[in-house]
Amino acid sequence: MMTLSAVLQFPPPDAARSEAWLREKLAYYSDAWDLAQDLANGITDIVVIDTRAAEQYQAAHIPGAISFPHRTMSAETLAALDGSKVYVTYCDGIGCNGSTKGAWKLASAGLRVKELIGGLDFWLRDRHPVAQGEEAGSWPQQDLQACGC
C-alpha cells in the first residue's frame, strides 16, 4: 500500500511563482529581529506605531514607538503623519488584530505600512528592550545578538 504525502497533497507552485508570492508576502510584514536591527541602526525611514490603548503602551512598548491607538485613527488624525515614511504597526500579538486595523487605516489614508509579526509578544520573546511610560523613549546602546533564523 502506497502512503500519500500530506505535504504534497497540494503540490507547491513552480519556483518563479513561489518567489513572487513570497516577495509579496514579505512586503507586508516585518519580524522583530529586522525591526530591532533597523532601530538599533537608527534607520529614520520607518516609524513604529503601537496601536494598543494608551494604558498598555505606558506599561511597555517598543523603544521609539509612538502611541496611536487604532480606535483613535481617522482621516483627520492620520493627516498629520509624514507620507514619506513607512509605518510599522504592532499590538499585543497574534491573538490581537489591532495592528491589522491600524495598518488598514494607515493604508486607506494613502500611507505605506507593514505589520510586525507577533506584535509585542514576539518582541519580548526575542528579548528586545522595552520602554515604559508616556514617552516614546529611544533605542538603548547595545549590540544586537544574531538571529537564529
Side-chain angles (χ1 to χ4, degrees), residues 21-32 34-35 86-89 99-100 103 113-118:
W21 184 82
L22 292 166
R23 182 177 346 147
E24 180 79 6
K25 181 180 175 182
L26 288 168
Y28 293 99
Y29 301 101
S30 174
D31 70 5
D34 290 347
L35 180 58
V86 172
Y87 294 90
V88 178
T89 61
S99 64
T100 304
V113 64
K114 289 186 170 208
E115 275 190 275
L116 178 63
I117 296 171

Side-chain angles (χ1 to χ4, degrees), residues 16-97:
R17 283 183 54 211
S18 286
E19 186 273 335
W21 184 82
L22 292 166
R23 182 177 346 147
E24 180 79 6
K25 181 180 175 182
L26 288 168
Y28 293 99
Y29 301 101
S30 174
D31 70 5
W33 281 100
D34 290 347
L35 180 58
Q37 181 177 2
D38 279 0
L39 292 174
N41 289 330
I43 302 298
T44 60
D45 296 333
I46 60 171
V47 176
V48 182
I49 295 181
D50 187 318
T51 63
R52 303 171 303 151
E55 300 79 34
Q56 292 174 302
Y57 174 86
Q58 291 172 15
H61 60 270
I62 294 173
I66 61 171
S67 177
F68 199 162
H70 72 87
R71 295 180 190 280
T72 67
M73 292 179 182
S74 66
E76 295 78 29
T77 60
L78 292 170
L81 296 180
D82 183 347
S84 70
K85 303 290 185 183
V86 172
Y87 294 90
V88 178
T89 61
Y90 75 92
C91 56
D92 284 330
I94 61 173
C96 175
N97 67 3

